Amino acid sequence: MTIKQPKYEYVSSAKLPTRMGEFRIHGFVEASGQEHVALSYGEWQESDIVPIRIHSECLTGDALFSTRCDCGFQLEKALANIVERGFGVLLYLRQEGRGIGLLNKIRAYNLQDSGMDTVEANEHLGFDADLRSYDICKLMLDTLKVEQVELMTNNPRKMDALQKLGVKVAARKPIDHGITKDNKHYLKTKTEKLGHAFDPHLLK
């Protein structure tokens, strides 16, 4: 069976110095106009198993330091892991709020403040629990000449999605990081309802 890939365009690359080291940032755009970026660090051979993280945009966690999710913590940890290994890739997908968008995520937060969990809130707003797509990841990895990956994630669905797209996933590396009193219930919900693989002892 041939998997239909979304049309996309590689736009450009540039140096991106950060507090952790010097990355390169690579821009991509889908036919829909949605923009995504990849951050690469170091060099690798085509036969290497490349550590990668697929990170969905989270403005509140990534840029505004929110502790009601673990997104910002995981983003920082993934970049640190890549630098420590000496090479790797972070795919940053513009899929705010598991695909429902920033303003709907704020609406969902309001419902969570009233007692719903993250899945119930999304469904109350008329959305599936997770609307994200990972189809473009294969195209981004092909552009960066990545053939085999070690995927940093607690979400087995990301592994399954990459494997269905033809990406060789050699291993999954857990990224249990940034668990706080503010996000424990959120992380328990992701474990119980969305199948994320957290160490249960960390969520007590």
Side-chain angles (χ1 to χ4, degrees):
M1 181 179 69
T2 301
I3 298 174
K4 186 177 180 182
Q5 302 283 5
K7 293 182 179 179
Y8 85 113
E9 180 182 356
Y10 161 72
V11 179
S12 188
S13 297
K15 292 180 181 179
L16 188 72
T18 75
R19 289 182 287 108
M20 298 178 191
E22 186 169 290
F23 288 78
R24 288 193 66 81
I25 186 167
H26 312 269
F28 299 84
V29 61
E30 295 188 55
S32 64
Q34 185 62 278
E35 299 171 339
H36 309 278
V37 298
L39 300 184
S40 65
Y41 183 86
E43 298 180 356
W44 52 86
Q45 304 298 319
E46 290 186 6
S47 59
D48 287 338
I49 297 173
V50 180
I52 75 163
R53 163 83 178 157
I54 302 171
H55 191 89
S56 296
E57 178 182 39
C58 176
L59 178 70
T60 49
D62 297 343
L64 301 179
F65 314 110
S66 170
T67 58
R68 63 185 299 162
C69 66
D70 58 337
C71 302
F73 299 106
Q74 289 190 331
L75 175 61
E76 185 172 0
K77 181 63 174 177
L79 293 174
N81 286 347
I82 287 170
V83 171
E84 183 178 352
R85 286 284 297 275
F87 65 98
V89 172
L90 184 134
L91 305 181
Y92 195 88
L93 306 185
R94 307 293 300 279
Q95 302 188 117
E96 182 78 48
R98 294 200 303 275
I100 68 175
L102 177 61
L103 298 187
N104 281 322
K105 184 173 81 169
I106 294 172
R107 293 186 179 101
Y109 277 175
N110 178 263
L111 293 172
Q112 291 170 46
D113 291 342
S114 300
M116 293 187 185
D117 65 36
T118 182
V119 170
E120 292 167 344
N122 277 27
E123 292 176 343
H124 184 83
L125 292 171
F127 301 107
D128 289 339
D130 195 337
L131 292 173
R132 290 175 293 181
S133 168
Y134 304 106
D135 289 350
I136 198 171
C137 293
K138 175 68 162 63
L139 305 173
M140 297 169 83
L141 292 171
D142 285 349
T143 300
L144 298 175
K145 301 189 184 309
V146 175
E147 294 191 355
Q148 300 184 77
V149 305
E150 176 189 75
L151 182 62
M152 289 181 275
T153 188
N154 301 322
N155 185 356
R157 294 183 184 183
K158 290 183 181 179
M159 272 187 81
D160 294 341
L162 287 186
Q163 289 169 336
K164 287 177 182 177
L165 291 167
V167 177
K168 297 176 183 176
V169 182
R172 180 183 73 83
K173 182 180 178 65
I175 190 163
D176 296 334
H177 190 68
I179 299 173
T180 72
K181 63 179 178 62
D182 300 310
N183 65 27
K184 273 192 176 182
H185 180 66
Y186 164 78
L187 297 178
K188 285 181 180 178
T189 300
K190 290 208 297 184
T191 302
E192 295 168 359
K193 294 190 175 182
L194 297 174
H196 289 220
F198 287 97
D199 181 343
H201 297 291
L202 298 176
L203 299 179
K204 288 183 178 179

